[in-house]
C-alpha cells in the first residue's frame, strides 16, 4: 500500500510510507549481469544517458553519484530547495525514535535528525568509503554520540534485525543496483510497525537540480 502525501514548503515531496510486506520482493555502482540476477527479476539493455542498463520493474536503474559529488550534497541552497526541516517535522520523531538514513552521503539529514532523537539512534548507512570516513569524522567533530555509521553494500544495509522505527532514503532508491534485495534487507531491519520513507524530488519541482530518473 502506498500513500501519497504533500508537505508544504518550497518543494512538494512525494512521500511514500510503505508498510513493507516484501516476502516476494545507495548508493552503489552498476553491476554486470550474471545468472543469479538474470533469473531474479532483473533484465538488461543498452544503457541510456545517466543509466546503468539494468532494469527492474520496467525502470532503468540510474548511475550512482559518486563521493566526488559531496560538495553538491552540502550546497547552500539545499535547505531551501528541499525544505528539510519540514520533512523532519513531518516524520513525527519521538526522543527515543531509531532512524536509519540509507544512503546518508555527507550526513545532511543524519545530523539534522540526531538532535531530535536524543534517547534514540540514527544509523547512517553508506556504501562509499569516502562518505563513510566523512560521516565518522563529522560524528566525532559534532559529538553526535547517537549517530552510528554503518558500511553497507549493494545488497545489504547491515542493520540489526527488528531495530528500526523509520528508514529514510532521500534521492537514493533510483540508484540502487539491487532494489529488491535492499528493500528486503530494510524490511528485516524494521520493527513490526516500522516505516520506510522515500523522498524523490525531481518530479515535484523541475527547478531542483536533480537529474531526471531514467525510465
Amino acid at each position: 500500500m502506498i500513500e501519497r502525501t504533500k508537505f508544504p514548503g518550497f518543494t512538494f515531496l512525494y512521500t511514500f510510507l510503505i508498510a513493507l510486506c516484501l516476502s516476494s520482493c545507495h548508493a552503489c555502482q552498476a553491476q554486470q549481469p550474471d545468472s543469479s540476477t538474470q533469473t531474479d527479476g532483473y533484465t538488461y539493455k543498452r544503457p541510456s544517458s545517466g543509466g546503468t542498463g539494468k532494469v527492474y520493474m520496467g525502470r532503468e536503474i540510474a548511475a550512482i553519484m559518486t563521493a566526488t559529488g559531496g560538495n553538491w550534497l552540502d550546497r547552500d541552497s539545499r535547505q531551501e530547495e528541499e525544505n528539510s526541516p519540514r520533512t523532519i517535522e513531518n516524520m513525527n520523531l519521538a526522543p527515543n525514535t531509531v532512524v536509519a538514513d540509507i544512503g546518508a552521503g555527507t550526513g545532511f539529514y543524519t545530523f539534522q535528525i540526531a538532535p531530535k532523537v536524543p534517547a534514540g539512534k540514527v544509523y547512517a548507512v553508506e556504501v562509499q568509503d569516502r562518505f563513510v570516513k566523512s560521516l565518522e569524522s563529522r560524528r566525532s567533530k559534532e559529538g553526535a554520540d547517537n549517530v552510528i555509521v554503518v558500511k553497507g553494500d549493494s545488497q545489504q544495509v547491515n542493520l540489526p534485525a527488528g531495530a528500526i522505527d523509520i528508514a529514510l532514503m532521500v534521492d537514493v532508491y533510483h540508484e540502487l543496483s539491487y532494489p529488491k534485495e535492499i528493500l528486503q534487507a530494510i524490511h528485516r531491519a524494521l520493527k513490526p510497525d516500522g516505516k520506510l520513507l522515500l523522498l524523490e524530488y525531481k518530479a515535484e519541482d523541475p527547478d531542483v537540480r536533480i537529474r531526471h530518473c531514467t525510465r
Side-chain angles (χ1 to χ4, degrees), residues 24-78:
S24 64
C25 335
H26 77 320
C28 39
Q29 66 184 12
Q31 304 291 320
Q32 296 300 317
D34 57 47
S35 58
S36 62
T37 57
Q38 291 272 10
T39 59
D40 206 18
Y42 299 105
T43 57
Y44 299 85
K45 66 172 190 173
R46 183 182 298 277
S48 62
S49 175
T52 62
K54 186 174 182 179
V55 178
Y56 180 64
M57 297 184 70
R59 178 189 63 84
E60 184 181 8
I61 294 167
I64 187 174
M65 185 190 72
T66 66
T68 58
N71 289 338
W72 184 81
L73 293 176
D74 290 330
R75 64 195 185 277
D76 292 339
S77 61
R78 186 174 182 184

Side-chain angles (χ1 to χ4, degrees), residues 7 18 27 43 48 53 57 62 76 85 110 117-118 127 140 159 163 171-172 177 181 189 191 199 207 214:
F7 292 162
I18 302 180
T43 57
S48 62
M57 297 184 70
D76 292 339
T110 294
V117 293
V127 300
S140 177
L159 293 169
D171 289 315
V172 169
S177 289
E181 288 80 359
K191 295 178 180 178
L199 304 185
D207 293 330
T214 52

